[in-house]
Amino acid sequence: MLNSQAEGAGSRPPLVTRPLLLRFVSIIGASTSFYLLLSVVPLYAEEAGGGHGDAAGLTTGALMLATVGGELATPRLVARFGYRLVLGAGLVLLGAPAFALSASGSPAWITAVCVLRGIGFAFTVVAGGALTAALVPAARRGEGLALVGIVSGVPSLVALPLGVWLAAHVGYGPVFAAGAVAALAAVVSVPGLPDRDPTSERVLGVTAGIRTAALSRPALVFAATALAAGILVTFLPLAVPSASAGVVATALFAQSAAATAARWVAGRHGDRHGPAVLVVPGLALAAGGTLLTALTHSPVAVVIGVTLFGIGFGITQNATLTLMYARVPASGYGTVSALWNFAFDAGMGLGAVGFGFLAARTGYPSAFALTAALMLTALVPAWRDRRTEASPGPSDRP
């Protein structure tokens, strides 16, 4: 069970503990499995489907929309079965179906595998995220979430471009197998993790969380940046001319590195000055980077644009999640994890599906520019949340 950590008067509570180190194992396994295949599966589907971008978008859309459905159900499963069982089941569902990807190039088959993996990913991020929040001291939440972001960001930093490179050099099958093993190997760490404490507090449900402005506004802002994230990882390999294939790997690496570094800086800054001030700048940077990426025939513009997007994305990741955890009691951590990840994955899934249809009619440059404009509409809830942060009213709480 989760035990309260003793905090000496005037001392900073310890950040890295044995349970958190053990939790890092499942974070690394899930993150590696997810990001290794994130850009590879759309390429595989696009190749198998005869070069149609819609097929690529549908695979990412199926993955992320299945994740969204799983995330909405996970808080109830955690309340009934606890963190460990749900997290372990998620790792199995994320990993095992990846072995079957190379069995067929049928769009229906690939989509079915993506749905199973999406449900598994939902279990790992929601159950694991709530557990992580319980392991991080409230006084160092921004820094702790930033550290967790680095631990999950390093695998994405390596795995996202590595998956594309490996698929081109050794084929899809070995990449699919590696993604499966990464998640399944992490299952061995789950029995050693603490489980959920019983609580007499009323658990904040997902529906009530959505109706709570103090939670829904940051989630909506983050969804706007996640929209572009799903588009970039799915369509950048298709939008950049094939003669500049190395630019894609460089840009994806730069995006992951920038996002990881930005999460750390944002976390430390947020603990000292409050995370609310970071939301609008993060959103503006992400939108500006997406707009610059519209210059798809310029390798320099693509790399700089994707890097700027990564910085803005990392800032909004940390700032919005820290804000949401600070606005609920411990019994609401599962709901916050579900809502934030819902925003993440719904944004990515809808972005991938919608962009595929849009780009087929307008071309990639115009589609990127329109995406940036759409992201800027999230400035409305961002400014509103910033104004109410200093003195939240009764409507901000359920």
Side-chain angles (χ1 to χ4, degrees):
M1 305 300 289
L2 294 175
N3 297 315
S4 298
Q5 295 177 343
E7 299 179 13
S11 65
R12 300 184 76 202
L15 182 59
V16 179
T17 60
R18 183 181 180 278
L20 188 60
L21 287 172
L22 199 59
R23 168 72 182 120
F24 287 168
V25 176
S26 56
I27 291 174
I28 292 169
S31 184
T32 300
S33 177
F34 181 75
Y35 284 103
L36 193 66
L37 304 188
L38 188 58
S39 288
V40 171
V41 172
L43 284 173
Y44 176 65
E46 192 261 348
E47 237 181 62
H52 297 293
D54 287 353
L58 287 173
T59 60
T60 300
L63 175 73
M64 303 317 301
L65 294 177
T67 300
V68 166
E71 285 164 352
L72 295 178
T74 304
R76 181 172 295 181
L77 294 175
V78 168
R80 181 172 181 180
F81 299 108
Y83 295 130
R84 287 189 300 223
L85 184 59
V86 179
L87 177 58
L91 289 168
V92 171
L93 283 173
L94 179 62
F99 281 120
L101 274 168
S102 57
S104 171
S106 162
W109 180 265
I110 298 171
T111 299
V113 171
C114 287
V115 167
L116 288 175
R117 296 190 73 241
I119 295 171
F121 188 61
F123 290 175
T124 66
V125 296
V126 175
L131 172 58
T132 300
L135 295 174
V136 173
R140 303 181 69 182
R141 181 173 284 125
E143 187 178 2
L145 294 176
L147 178 60
V148 172
I150 291 174
V151 172
S152 63
V154 168
S156 71
L157 174 69
V158 176
L160 189 57
L162 180 62
V164 175
W165 186 88
L166 285 174
H169 289 81
V170 301
Y172 292 109
V175 182
F176 296 155
V181 169
L184 294 174
V187 175
V188 299
S189 70
V190 174
L193 289 168
D195 217 335
R196 194 176 70 92
D197 274 332
T199 178
S200 59
E201 294 180 357
R202 180 175 66 91
V203 176
L204 179 67
V206 172
T207 302
I210 293 173
R211 293 198 304 261
T212 303
L215 300 181
S216 61
R217 284 191 299 251
L220 183 60
V221 173
F222 183 54
T225 61
L227 183 86
I231 290 168
L232 288 172
V233 298
T234 303
F235 289 98
L236 195 65
L238 306 177
V240 173
S242 56
S244 303
V247 173
V248 175
T250 300
L252 291 176
F253 180 88
Q255 185 268 329
S256 297
T260 300
R263 286 188 74 172
W264 174 256
V265 174
R268 291 181 64 86
H269 185 279
D271 282 343
R272 290 157 175 78
H273 307 288
V277 297
L278 298 172
V279 175
V280 170
L283 175 61
L285 278 172
T290 303
L291 180 61
L292 189 57
T293 306
L295 302 174
T296 55
H297 284 78
S298 169
V300 173
V302 168
V303 172
I304 294 176
V306 173
T307 301
L308 284 176
F309 169 79
I311 294 171
F313 186 57
I315 291 171
T316 55
Q317 274 186 305
N318 187 277
T320 55
L321 185 57
T322 303
L323 273 176
M324 292 170 71
Y325 277 131
R327 292 171 175 177
V328 298
S331 60
Y333 287 171
T335 296
V336 164
S337 181
L339 289 178
W340 188 84
N341 283 289
F342 173 88
F344 193 172
D345 301 320
M348 288 190 72
L350 291 173
V353 173
F355 190 88
F357 289 107
L358 180 63
R361 292 153 181 81
T362 67
Y364 289 116
S366 295
F368 278 120
L370 290 170
T371 300
L374 180 62
M375 292 168 67
L376 289 175
T377 63
L379 285 171
V380 175
W383 279 115
R384 184 172 298 173
D385 193 74
R386 182 69 186 95
R387 287 198 304 268
T388 59
E389 169 66 14
S391 53
S395 64
D396 291 325
R397 295 279 182 180

